[in-house]
Amino acid sequence: MVFSSLLFLFRFLPLALAAYYLAPKKLRNLILFLSSLIFYAWGEPVYVVLILFSTLLDYMTGRIAGYCRATGQMNKARLAVFVSAFTNLALLAFFKYADFFVQTLHSVCAVDLPAPGVALPIGISFYTFQTMSYTIDVYRGDAKVQKNLITFGAYVSLFPQLIAGPIVRFKSVCEQLDHRKESVDSFFYGIVRFTAGLGKKVLIANQIGAVWSEIAAIHTDHLTVLTAWIGIAAYALQIYFDFSGYSDMAIGLGSMFGFSFPENFDYPYESKTVTEFWRRWHISLGVWFREYVYIPLGGNQKGTGRQMINIAIVWFLTGLWHGAYWNFVLWGVYYGVLLVLEKFFLLRILQKLPAWCGHIYTILCTLIGMSLFSYQDMADGPGYLQALYFQGKAGWYDQQTLWLAVSNIGLFFIAAVGCTSLMKRLTLKKCLPASTKKGAAIRDAAAICYTAAIFAACLGMLVNSSYNPFLYFRF
């Protein structure tokens, strides 16, 4: 089940909200837990067992780690953390990387082993990181032990962000799990935020994604340089609106149920350096790797050489986290090298240049990164890259290039403006003054009209659409 479907919008969500708000407060976590399991089981009923196992595992290891820490038995607490991390990572490795590992062995060592052919459980990369962070934070003393299994289960399986994040660490919502306060204002904000994300997905990501699909399907013998670049630009915009749209919808749904989830995107395409870009893109994943990998490895506290190694490790793992394909590993290495270069000399150069130079540099680096990231969507990835960088067999442009550019210029313009904070700044500054009661009323009326218009437009698209999953479901 996906958020951008009529089934979710008109059946599951209304029923879940009704059951939640009609139930006594002490039963609301149970309603959330059961609703989330139904939501997940709708698409993959078998793998509900996996979520339940992860929930029980980290509930128990968290209880053990908390007790051992309180009684001064730190060795046993560390053992509990080890059991949690090892088991979670072993499950992730088996379900996500077993086929990749076997295929790599076959290619490199000519080892003839049958691939397990195990289907990838949706969202496993996200909820695995969440459950691991709980036990680690309890061990560190950063989070309280959750003694209610149902409440902990609601945290692990919470359907608004179960499939594709943001990755919500337990310590950031532990108080909300037990003492959140639902309100009309938070519910209204949730509707507006959810609808904004729905519009990003249905009205922009799906439409510009169709441009990318059309170009990716062109045989590379007939692909011109400019067509290839139009395709990569379309993919970069599609993945931004698709993923940030999902994050907006998750944050909005959380707000409807009284939760405040962390932001996951902060207009990354406005960045002036690659370092800044990764502080604004998929923020929750970056924070997770910093808190649980980079800093424990020593961060920047053990000398320049060690810091470079730590950055390389983090970005190798970041690439591998995104998928069991070598293009993702290469993508991670590419960004690791860029960030090391910026750290040690490029940032000093960029700071002396006009801001627009930094913007162009960052966008160009991002598009190159997207060309590596999109390998698995291409029939002939290396051939596409050849057309992109070395002028393929079809030359620089042709009639198809011009047709693609002209017919989609409006869509690209809307997407380019929409991925910046321009409209937000103009709206807050000139259209929605909320310092007075009249201004607040104008703001609320405008938000209602905007939400209704976006929702109606999305419904018009969804009525005749087919299944349209979010891109990050595969990760």
Coordinates of all heavy atoms in Angstrom, one line a residue, residues 239-302:
I239 N 13.8 12.2 -8.3 CA 14.1 11.5 -7.1 C 14.0 12.5 -5.9 O 13.6 12.1 -4.8 CB 15.5 10.9 -7.1 CG1 15.7 9.8 -6.1 CG2 16.6 11.9 -7.0 CD1 16.9 8.9 -6.2
Y240 N 14.2 13.8 -6.2 CA 14.1 14.8 -5.1 C 12.6 14.9 -4.7 O 12.2 14.8 -3.6 CB 14.6 16.1 -5.5 CG 14.2 17.2 -4.5 CD1 14.7 17.3 -3.3 CD2 13.1 18.1 -4.9 CE1 14.3 18.3 -2.4 CE2 12.7 19.1 -4.0 CZ 13.3 19.1 -2.7 OH 12.8 20.1 -1.8
F241 N 11.7 15.1 -5.7 CA 10.3 15.3 -5.4 C 9.6 14.0 -4.9 O 8.7 14.1 -4.1 CB 9.6 15.9 -6.7 CG 9.8 17.3 -6.9 CD1 10.7 17.8 -7.9 CD2 9.2 18.3 -6.1 CE1 10.9 19.1 -8.1 CE2 9.4 19.6 -6.3 CZ 10.3 20.0 -7.3
D242 N 10.1 12.9 -5.4 CA 9.6 11.6 -5.0 C 9.9 11.4 -3.5 O 9.0 11.1 -2.7 CB 10.1 10.5 -5.8 CG 9.4 9.2 -5.6 OD1 9.8 8.5 -4.6 OD2 8.6 8.8 -6.4
F243 N 11.2 11.5 -3.1 CA 11.6 11.2 -1.8 C 11.2 12.3 -0.8 O 10.7 12.0 0.3 CB 13.1 11.0 -1.8 CG 13.6 10.3 -0.5 CD1 12.8 9.7 0.4 CD2 15.0 10.4 -0.2 CE1 13.2 9.1 1.5 CE2 15.4 9.8 1.0 CZ 14.6 9.1 1.8
S244 N 11.4 13.6 -1.2 CA 11.0 14.6 -0.3 C 9.5 14.7 -0.1 O 9.0 15.0 0.9 CB 11.5 16.0 -0.7 OG 10.9 16.4 -1.9
G245 N 8.8 14.3 -1.2 CA 7.3 14.2 -1.1 C 6.9 13.1 -0.1 O 6.0 13.3 0.7
Y246 N 7.6 12.0 -0.1 CA 7.3 10.9 0.8 C 7.5 11.4 2.2 O 6.7 11.2 3.2 CB 8.1 9.7 0.6 CG 7.8 8.5 1.5 CD1 6.9 7.6 1.2 CD2 8.3 8.5 2.8 CE1 6.5 6.5 2.1 CE2 8.0 7.5 3.7 CZ 7.1 6.5 3.3 OH 6.8 5.5 4.2
S247 N 8.7 12.1 2.4 CA 9.0 12.6 3.8 C 8.0 13.6 4.2 O 7.6 13.6 5.4 CB 10.4 13.3 3.7 OG 11.4 12.3 3.5
D248 N 7.5 14.5 3.4 CA 6.5 15.5 3.7 C 5.2 14.7 4.1 O 4.5 15.1 5.1 CB 6.2 16.4 2.6 CG 7.2 17.4 2.3 OD1 8.1 17.7 3.2 OD2 7.3 18.0 1.2
M249 N 4.8 13.7 3.4 CA 3.6 12.9 3.7 C 3.8 12.2 5.1 O 2.8 12.2 5.9 CB 3.3 12.0 2.6 CG 3.0 12.7 1.3 SD 3.1 11.6 -0.2 CE 1.5 10.8 -0.1
A250 N 5.0 11.7 5.3 CA 5.2 11.0 6.6 C 5.1 12.0 7.7 O 4.5 11.7 8.8 CB 6.6 10.3 6.5
I251 N 5.8 13.1 7.6 CA 5.7 14.1 8.6 C 4.3 14.6 8.9 O 3.8 14.8 10.0 CB 6.6 15.3 8.3 CG1 8.1 14.9 8.3 CG2 6.4 16.5 9.2 CD1 9.1 15.9 7.7
G252 N 3.5 14.8 7.8 CA 2.1 15.2 7.9 C 1.3 14.1 8.6 O 0.5 14.5 9.5
L253 N 1.5 12.9 8.2 CA 0.7 11.8 8.9 C 1.1 11.7 10.3 O 0.2 11.5 11.2 CB 1.0 10.5 8.2 CG 0.4 10.3 6.8 CD1 1.0 9.0 6.1 CD2 -1.1 10.1 6.9
G254 N 2.4 11.9 10.6 CA 2.8 11.8 12.0 C 2.1 12.9 12.8 O 1.6 12.7 14.0
S255 N 2.0 14.1 12.2 CA 1.4 15.3 12.9 C -0.1 15.0 13.2 O -0.7 15.4 14.2 CB 1.6 16.5 12.1 OG 1.1 17.7 12.8
M256 N -0.8 14.3 12.2 CA -2.2 13.9 12.4 C -2.4 13.1 13.7 O -3.4 13.1 14.3 CB -2.7 13.2 11.2 CG -2.8 14.0 9.9 SD -3.6 13.1 8.6 CE -3.0 14.0 7.2
F257 N -1.4 12.2 14.0 CA -1.5 11.3 15.1 C -0.7 11.9 16.4 O -0.6 11.2 17.3 CB -0.9 10.0 14.8 CG -1.7 9.2 13.8 CD1 -1.4 9.2 12.5 CD2 -2.8 8.5 14.2 CE1 -2.2 8.4 11.5 CE2 -3.6 7.8 13.3 CZ -3.3 7.7 12.0
G258 N -0.3 13.2 16.3 CA 0.3 13.8 17.4 C 1.8 13.8 17.5 O 2.3 14.2 18.5
F259 N 2.4 13.2 16.5 CA 3.9 13.1 16.5 C 4.6 14.3 15.8 O 4.0 14.9 14.9 CB 4.4 11.8 15.9 CG 4.0 10.6 16.7 CD1 2.9 9.9 16.4 CD2 4.9 10.1 17.6 CE1 2.6 8.7 17.1 CE2 4.6 9.0 18.3 CZ 3.4 8.3 18.1
S260 N 5.8 14.6 16.2 CA 6.6 15.6 15.5 C 7.9 14.9 15.0 O 8.8 14.6 15.8 CB 7.0 16.7 16.4 OG 7.8 17.6 15.8
F261 N 7.9 14.5 13.7 CA 9.1 13.9 13.2 C 10.1 14.9 12.7 O 9.8 16.0 12.3 CB 8.6 13.0 12.0 CG 7.8 11.8 12.3 CD1 6.9 11.3 11.4 CD2 7.8 11.3 13.6 CE1 6.1 10.2 11.7 CE2 6.9 10.2 14.0 CZ 6.1 9.7 13.0
P262 N 11.4 14.5 12.6 CA 12.4 15.4 12.1 C 12.3 15.7 10.6 O 11.8 14.8 9.9 CB 13.7 14.6 12.5 CG 13.3 13.2 12.5 CD 11.9 13.2 13.0
E263 N 12.7 16.8 10.2 CA 12.8 17.1 8.8 C 13.8 16.3 8.1 O 14.9 15.9 8.7 CB 13.1 18.6 8.6 CG 12.1 19.6 9.1 CD 10.8 19.5 8.3 OE1 10.8 19.1 7.1 OE2 9.7 19.9 8.8
N264 N 13.6 16.0 6.8 CA 14.5 15.1 6.1 C 15.1 15.8 4.9 O 16.1 15.3 4.4 CB 13.7 13.8 5.6 CG 14.6 12.6 5.6 OD1 15.6 12.5 6.3 ND2 14.2 11.6 4.8
F265 N 14.6 16.9 4.5 CA 15.1 17.7 3.4 C 15.0 19.2 3.7 O 14.1 19.6 4.3 CB 14.3 17.4 2.1 CG 14.6 16.0 1.5 CD1 13.9 14.9 1.9 CD2 15.6 15.8 0.5 CE1 14.1 13.7 1.4 CE2 15.8 14.6 0.0 CZ 15.1 13.5 0.5
D266 N 16.0 19.9 3.2 CA 16.1 21.3 3.4 C 16.6 22.0 2.2 O 17.6 22.6 2.2 CB 17.0 21.7 4.6 CG 17.0 23.2 5.0 OD1 16.0 23.9 4.6 OD2 17.9 23.6 5.6
Y267 N 15.8 21.9 1.1 CA 16.1 22.5 -0.2 C 17.6 22.3 -0.6 O 18.4 23.2 -0.7 CB 15.8 24.0 -0.2 CG 14.4 24.3 0.2 CD1 14.0 24.8 1.4 CD2 13.4 24.0 -0.7 CE1 12.7 25.0 1.8 CE2 12.0 24.3 -0.4 CZ 11.7 24.8 0.9 OH 10.4 25.0 1.2
P268 N 18.0 21.0 -0.8 CA 19.4 20.7 -1.0 C 19.9 21.3 -2.3 O 21.1 21.5 -2.4 CB 19.4 19.2 -1.1 CG 18.0 18.8 -1.4 CD 17.1 19.8 -0.7
Y269 N 19.1 21.5 -3.3 CA 19.6 22.0 -4.6 C 19.9 23.5 -4.5 O 20.4 24.1 -5.5 CB 18.5 21.8 -5.7 CG 18.5 20.3 -6.1 CD1 17.2 19.7 -6.4 CD2 19.6 19.5 -6.2 CE1 17.2 18.4 -6.7 CE2 19.5 18.2 -6.6 CZ 18.3 17.6 -6.8 OH 18.2 16.3 -7.2
E270 N 19.7 24.1 -3.4 CA 20.2 25.5 -3.1 C 21.6 25.5 -2.6 O 22.2 26.6 -2.4 CB 19.3 26.2 -2.2 CG 17.9 26.5 -2.7 CD 17.1 27.4 -1.8 OE1 17.4 27.4 -0.5 OE2 16.1 28.0 -2.2
S271 N 22.2 24.4 -2.4 CA 23.5 24.3 -1.7 C 24.6 24.9 -2.6 O 24.6 24.9 -3.8 CB 23.9 22.9 -1.4 OG 22.9 22.3 -0.6
K272 N 25.7 25.4 -1.9 CA 26.8 26.0 -2.6 C 28.1 25.0 -2.5 O 29.1 25.3 -3.1 CB 27.2 27.3 -2.0 CG 26.1 28.4 -2.2 CD 26.5 29.7 -1.7 CE 26.4 29.8 -0.2 NZ 25.0 29.6 0.3
T273 N 28.0 23.9 -1.8 CA 29.0 22.9 -1.8 C 28.4 21.6 -1.6 O 27.2 21.4 -1.2 CB 30.0 23.2 -0.5 OG1 29.2 22.9 0.7 CG2 30.6 24.6 -0.5
V274 N 29.1 20.5 -2.0 CA 28.6 19.2 -1.8 C 28.5 18.9 -0.3 O 27.5 18.1 0.1 CB 29.6 18.2 -2.5 CG1 29.1 16.7 -2.2 CG2 29.6 18.4 -4.0
T275 N 29.3 19.4 0.5 CA 29.2 19.2 2.0 C 27.9 19.7 2.5 O 27.2 19.1 3.2 CB 30.4 19.9 2.7 OG1 31.6 19.3 2.2 CG2 30.3 19.7 4.2
E276 N 27.5 20.9 2.0 CA 26.3 21.5 2.4 C 25.1 20.7 1.8 O 24.1 20.5 2.5 CB 26.2 23.0 1.9 CG 24.9 23.7 2.3 CD 24.8 25.0 1.7 OE1 25.7 25.5 1.0 OE2 23.7 25.7 1.9
F277 N 25.2 20.2 0.6 CA 24.2 19.4 0.0 C 23.8 18.2 0.9 O 22.6 17.9 1.1 CB 24.7 18.9 -1.4 CG 23.7 18.1 -2.1 CD1 22.7 18.6 -2.9 CD2 23.7 16.7 -2.0 CE1 21.8 17.8 -3.6 CE2 22.8 15.9 -2.7 CZ 21.8 16.4 -3.5
W278 N 24.8 17.5 1.4 CA 24.6 16.4 2.2 C 24.1 16.7 3.6 O 23.8 15.8 4.3 CB 25.8 15.4 2.1 CG 25.7 14.7 0.8 CD1 26.6 14.8 -0.2 CD2 24.8 13.7 0.5 NE1 26.2 14.0 -1.3 CE2 25.1 13.3 -0.9 CE3 23.7 13.1 1.1 CZ2 24.3 12.3 -1.6 CZ3 22.9 12.1 0.4 CH2 23.3 11.7 -0.9
R279 N 24.2 17.9 4.0 CA 23.6 18.3 5.3 C 22.1 18.6 5.1 O 21.3 18.8 6.0 CB 24.3 19.6 5.8 CG 25.7 19.2 6.4 CD 26.4 20.5 6.8 NE 27.7 20.2 7.3 CZ 28.7 21.1 7.3 NH1 28.5 22.3 6.8 NH2 29.9 20.8 7.7
R280 N 21.7 18.8 3.8 CA 20.3 19.1 3.5 C 19.5 18.0 2.9 O 18.3 18.1 2.8 CB 20.3 20.3 2.5 CG 20.8 21.6 3.1 CD 21.0 22.6 1.9 NE 21.3 24.0 2.4 CZ 20.4 25.0 2.2 NH1 19.3 24.8 1.6 NH2 20.7 26.2 2.6
W281 N 20.2 16.9 2.4 CA 19.5 15.8 1.6 C 19.5 14.6 2.6 O 20.5 14.2 3.1 CB 20.3 15.5 0.4 CG 19.7 14.4 -0.5 CD1 19.8 13.1 -0.2 CD2 19.0 14.5 -1.7 NE1 19.1 12.3 -1.1 CE2 18.6 13.2 -2.1 CE3 18.6 15.6 -2.5 CZ2 17.9 12.9 -3.2 CZ3 17.9 15.3 -3.7 CH2 17.5 14.0 -4.0
H282 N 18.3 14.0 2.7 CA 18.2 12.8 3.5 C 18.9 13.0 4.9 O 19.7 12.2 5.2 CB 18.7 11.6 2.8 CG 18.1 10.3 3.2 ND1 17.4 10.1 4.4 CD2 18.2 9.0 2.7 CE1 17.0 8.9 4.5 NE2 17.5 8.2 3.5
I283 N 18.4 14.0 5.5 CA 19.1 14.5 6.8 C 19.2 13.4 7.8 O 20.2 13.2 8.5 CB 18.4 15.7 7.3 CG1 18.5 16.9 6.3 CG2 19.0 16.1 8.7 CD1 17.6 18.0 6.6
S284 N 18.1 12.6 7.9 CA 18.0 11.6 9.0 C 19.0 10.5 8.8 O 19.6 9.9 9.7 CB 16.6 11.0 9.1 OG 16.2 10.4 7.9
L285 N 19.3 10.1 7.5 CA 20.3 9.1 7.2 C 21.7 9.6 7.5 O 22.5 8.9 8.1 CB 20.2 8.7 5.8 CG 21.2 7.6 5.4 CD1 20.9 6.3 6.1 CD2 21.2 7.4 3.9
G286 N 22.0 10.9 7.1 CA 23.3 11.5 7.4 C 23.5 11.6 8.9 O 24.6 11.3 9.4
V287 N 22.5 12.0 9.7 CA 22.6 12.0 11.2 C 22.9 10.6 11.7 O 23.7 10.5 12.6 CB 21.4 12.6 11.8 CG1 21.4 12.5 13.3 CG2 21.3 14.1 11.4
W288 N 22.2 9.6 11.2 CA 22.4 8.3 11.7 C 23.8 7.8 11.5 O 24.5 7.3 12.4 CB 21.4 7.3 11.0 CG 21.3 6.0 11.7 CD1 20.3 5.7 12.6 CD2 22.1 4.9 11.7 NE1 20.4 4.4 13.1 CE2 21.6 3.9 12.5 CE3 23.3 4.6 11.0 CZ2 22.2 2.6 12.7 CZ3 23.9 3.3 11.2 CH2 23.4 2.4 12.0
F289 N 24.4 8.0 10.3 CA 25.7 7.6 10.0 C 26.8 8.4 10.8 O 27.8 7.8 11.3 CB 26.1 7.7 8.5 CG 25.7 6.4 7.8 CD1 24.6 6.4 6.9 CD2 26.4 5.3 7.9 CE1 24.3 5.3 6.2 CE2 26.1 4.1 7.2 CZ 25.0 4.1 6.3
R290 N 26.5 9.6 11.1 CA 27.4 10.4 11.9 C 27.4 10.0 13.3 O 28.5 9.8 13.9 CB 27.0 11.9 11.8 CG 28.0 12.8 12.5 CD 27.5 14.3 12.6 NE 26.4 14.5 13.5 CZ 25.2 15.0 13.1 NH1 25.0 15.4 11.9 NH2 24.3 15.1 14.0
E291 N 26.2 9.7 13.9 CA 26.1 9.4 15.3 C 26.5 8.0 15.6 O 27.1 7.7 16.7 CB 24.6 9.5 15.8 CG 24.1 11.0 15.8 CD 24.8 11.8 16.9 OE1 25.1 11.2 17.9 OE2 25.0 13.0 16.6
Y292 N 26.3 7.0 14.7 CA 26.5 5.6 15.0 C 27.7 5.0 14.2 O 28.0 3.8 14.5 CB 25.2 4.8 14.8 CG 24.1 5.4 15.6 CD1 23.0 6.1 15.0 CD2 24.1 5.2 16.9 CE1 22.0 6.6 15.7 CE2 23.0 5.7 17.7 CZ 22.0 6.4 17.1 OH 21.0 6.9 17.9
V293 N 28.3 5.7 13.3 CA 29.4 5.2 12.6 C 30.6 6.1 12.6 O 31.7 5.8 13.1 CB 29.1 4.9 11.1 CG1 30.3 4.3 10.4 CG2 27.9 3.9 11.0
Y294 N 30.4 7.3 12.1 CA 31.5 8.3 12.0 C 32.2 8.7 13.3 O 33.4 8.6 13.6 CB 31.1 9.6 11.3 CG 32.1 10.6 11.0 CD1 33.2 10.4 10.1 CD2 32.1 11.8 11.7 CE1 34.2 11.3 9.9 CE2 33.0 12.8 11.5 CZ 34.1 12.5 10.6 OH 35.0 13.5 10.4
I295 N 31.3 9.1 14.3 CA 31.8 9.5 15.6 C 32.4 8.3 16.4 O 33.5 8.4 16.9 CB 30.8 10.2 16.4 CG1 30.4 11.6 15.8 CG2 31.2 10.4 17.9 CD1 29.3 12.3 16.4
P296 N 31.8 7.1 16.4 CA 32.4 6.0 17.1 C 33.7 5.6 16.5 O 34.6 5.0 17.2 CB 31.3 4.9 16.9 CG 30.0 5.6 16.8 CD 30.4 6.8 16.1
L297 N 33.9 5.8 15.2 CA 35.2 5.5 14.5 C 36.3 6.5 14.9 O 37.5 6.2 14.7 CB 35.1 5.5 13.0 CG 34.3 4.3 12.4 CD1 34.1 4.5 10.9 CD2 35.1 3.0 12.6
G298 N 35.9 7.6 15.5 CA 36.9 8.6 15.9 C 36.6 10.0 15.3 O 37.2 11.0 15.7
G299 N 35.7 10.0 14.3 CA 35.4 11.3 13.7 C 36.6 12.0 13.2 O 37.5 11.5 12.5
N300 N 36.7 13.3 13.6 CA 37.9 14.1 13.2 C 38.8 14.3 14.4 O 39.6 15.3 14.4 CB 37.4 15.5 12.7 CG 36.6 16.2 13.7 OD1 36.3 15.8 14.8 ND2 36.1 17.4 13.3
Q301 N 38.8 13.4 15.4 CA 39.5 13.6 16.6 C 40.9 12.8 16.7 O 41.6 12.9 17.6 CB 38.7 13.2 17.8 CG 37.4 13.9 18.0 CD 37.6 15.4 18.1 OE1 38.3 15.8 19.0 NE2 36.8 16.2 17.3
K302 N 41.2 12.1 15.6 CA 42.4 11.2 15.6 C 43.3 11.5 14.5 O 44.0 10.6 14.0 CB 41.9 9.8 15.6 CG 41.2 9.3 16.9 CD 40.9 7.9 16.9 CE 40.2 7.5 18.2 NZ 40.0 6.0 18.3

